[in-house]
Amino acid sequence: MDRSRSEEFDRFVTARWSALLHLARLLTGGDRHRAEDLLQEALVKLWFAWPRVAGQAPEAYVRRVLARAAARSARRRWWGEHPVDRLPDPPEAADEVAAVDERTRLEAMLALLPARQRAAVVLRYYQDLPERQVAEVLNCPVGTARSLTARGVARLRRLLAEATVEPVK
């Protein structure tokens, strides 16, 4: 790859890193370490495809790679988690951190969705992609993408309604 293409790639990665990492975090259910691994894998694939996709839509390519890799990754049985007897104390709620708490709660509930539903919801509502692009990224018909999104949102609403927040005493 010549120097100008390499510099183009570097500029793209520098400009889009944080947004792509956040997307990867959402697709992996909030696991930052898995998200970083997933994004690194996607960017390696983009590097090899860069001459082909640089002039077209490199971000769409990375989104597709991320969604597919997240789905494959979710099928693995074990990621090294270790159960504990007692959960950590919840953080103290304060006005300035209410938005962060709500986002964290939402990301935790997103993590409970099946991988394809989670990917459909994230791509549709976080990335604000039209249904057709969600279907292309997930490599499925538009109707399937639509039903995955609808089922994911419905389950997310149920999970959020069931999750009770106990007041601090």
Side-chain angles (χ1 to χ4, degrees):
M1 188 178 297
D2 65 0
R3 189 166 182 79
S4 67
R5 285 195 189 263
S6 176
E7 289 170 358
E8 249 182 80
F9 178 81
D10 290 345
R11 280 194 301 273
F12 170 79
V13 171
T14 302
R16 301 304 302 152
W17 175 264
S18 64
L20 292 171
L21 180 60
H22 190 68
L23 171 61
R25 262 188 83 213
L26 292 172
L27 290 171
T28 58
D31 185 336
R32 182 175 177 87
H33 301 291
R34 280 181 51 207
E36 288 173 350
D37 290 345
L38 191 71
L39 181 55
Q40 184 176 1
E41 177 184 333
L43 290 175
V44 166
K45 289 182 180 182
L46 176 64
W47 171 258
F48 288 109
W50 188 255
R52 234 180 30 250
V53 299
Q56 298 169 359
E59 190 159 353
Y61 180 86
V62 172
R63 270 196 306 261
R64 178 178 292 186
V65 171
L66 282 172
R68 290 179 179 172
R72 272 193 320 274
S73 163
R75 288 191 290 265
R76 294 183 185 144
R77 290 184 165 258
W78 187 69
W79 273 100
E81 296 91 357
H82 299 285
V84 295
D85 292 333
R86 185 169 168 240
L87 294 175
D89 293 328
E92 291 186 28
D95 290 341
E96 61 270 4
V97 296
V100 173
D101 288 343
E102 185 61 24
R103 185 175 60 229
T104 302
R105 184 172 159 247
L106 180 60
E107 287 178 359
M109 295 301 126
L110 264 173
L112 298 176
L113 294 178
R116 283 179 49 93
Q117 283 182 4
R118 181 172 53 242
V121 169
V122 167
L123 292 170
R124 181 71 176 106
Y125 295 108
Y126 173 74
Q127 290 285 297
D128 201 25
L129 294 180
E131 291 171 337
R132 182 176 309 164
Q133 281 186 325
V134 172
E136 287 173 11
V137 169
L138 295 177
N139 198 27
C140 66
V142 174
T144 302
R146 200 176 286 146
S147 73
L148 285 168
T149 304
R151 289 180 182 147
V153 168
R155 182 154 185 222
L156 195 56
R157 285 182 178 145
R158 279 194 311 273
L159 289 169
L160 288 168
E162 292 170 2
T164 58
V165 178
E166 295 183 23
V168 177
K169 293 180 183 180

